[in-house]
Amino acid sequence: MSYFSLMIDLDQKQVLIIGGQKTALRKAHQLKQFGADIHIISETICDQLRSYPYEIRSVKPSDICSRYDLIIAATNQREVNAWIAQMCKQERILVNVVDDPALCTFIFPAILKQDDVIVGIS
Ligand SMILES: C[C@@]1(CC(=O)O)C2=NC(=C\c3[nH]c(c(CCC(=O)O)c3CC(=O)O)Cc3[nH]c(c(CC(=O)O)c3CCC(=O)O)/C=C3\N/C(=C\2)[C@@H](CCC(=O)O)[C@]3(C)CC(=O)O)/[C@H]1CCC(=O)O
Ligand SMILES: NC(=O)c1ccc[n+]([C@@H]2O[C@H](COP(=O)([O-])OP(=O)(O)OC[C@H]3O[C@@H](n4cnc5c(N)ncnc54)[C@H](O)[C@@H]3O)[C@@H](O)[C@H]2O)c1
């Protein structure tokens, strides 16, 4: 089934990104632009992501909890990303899995932004 396009107010929404390299960085920058509060958990982290609150460690079960509104699984370990997706579904937290669209409960559209006019394309 195709996706319904929602426009979400991200102001002060708590977003957890698991993974700390190129893909995590792109997601973080995009969400930050729209006011989200980003938190990073990753075993390694690139320099640009160090401007966000971060923890350098593996993800653990208690990380997947209702203090987060959205979670992004952006590791390069397919099993870890799939496990995050499963935990998020159990906890009813929206999840984006960067290496498996079928496991996502939300996806990122391509975005065109001019002032307050936003166009999202999937
Ligand atoms: C819109 C945008 C938003 C964003 O993330 O910024 C976006 N991908 C963008 C960029 C981008 N994507 C990829 C590269 C690396 C290219 C390279 O280096 O080769 C780059 C970087 C680049 O192109 O610069 C590859 C890629 N993408 C996905 C997979 C996994 C898969 O398909 O299984 C793989 C293969 C990974 C691999 O095999 O390694 C999956 C998803 N990517 C989506 C969106 C969602 C689909 C939405 C839809 O189609 O409706 C979805 C399903 C999930 C999600 O991420 O939400 C942004 C467009 C920027 C623009 O043009 O405006
Ligand atoms: N959705 C998209 O638009 C898109 C675009 C490009 C790539 N990808 C996919 O995104 C994934 C990540 O790409 P990348 O280039 O950012 O990867 P990368 O390999 O450079 O980085 C992976 C990160 O995950 C961290 N990590 C691995 N296991 C972990 C764990 N158990 N707990 C915490 N952190 C862990 C690593 O420390 C590292 O920081 C790849 O699988 C790739 O296929 C998706």
Side-chain angles (χ1 to χ4, degrees), residues 22-23 26-27 30 78 96-101 104 106-111 121-122:
K22 201 175 67 218
T23 308
R26 199 174 67 246
K27 304 294 188 195
Q30 268 194 8
R78 285 190 79 77
N96 178 258
V97 185
V98 297
D99 64 352
D100 197 339
C104 296
F106 75 96
I107 60 172
F108 284 68
I111 293 173
I121 303 166
S122 163

Side-chain angles (χ1 to χ4, degrees), residues 27-87:
K27 304 294 188 195
H29 281 354
Q30 268 194 8
L31 294 172
K32 171 79 179 167
Q33 238 192 303
F34 292 90
D37 283 347
I38 315 280
H39 190 91
I40 314 282
I41 292 174
S42 186
E43 289 172 352
T44 64
I45 188 169
C46 64
D47 287 344
Q48 297 100 305
L49 274 174
R50 287 171 194 264
S51 59
Y52 298 94
Y54 66 87
E55 293 171 68
I56 298 190
R57 60 172 176 79
S58 295
V59 62
K60 59 178 197 272
S62 58
D63 295 325
I64 314 300
C65 66
S66 59
R67 64 178 282 218
Y68 296 111
D69 300 295
L70 302 177
I71 294 186
I72 298 173
T75 82
N76 54 354
Q77 305 296 312
R78 285 190 79 77
E79 329 72 64
V80 173
N81 289 344
W83 170 80
I84 293 167
Q86 190 194 343
M87 292 283 292

Side-chain angles (χ1 to χ4, degrees), residues 102-118:
L103 296 180
C104 296
T105 51
F106 75 96
I107 60 172
F108 284 68
I111 293 173
L112 304 173
K113 182 175 191 300
Q114 190 168 343
D115 303 322
D116 284 342
V117 179
I118 310 288

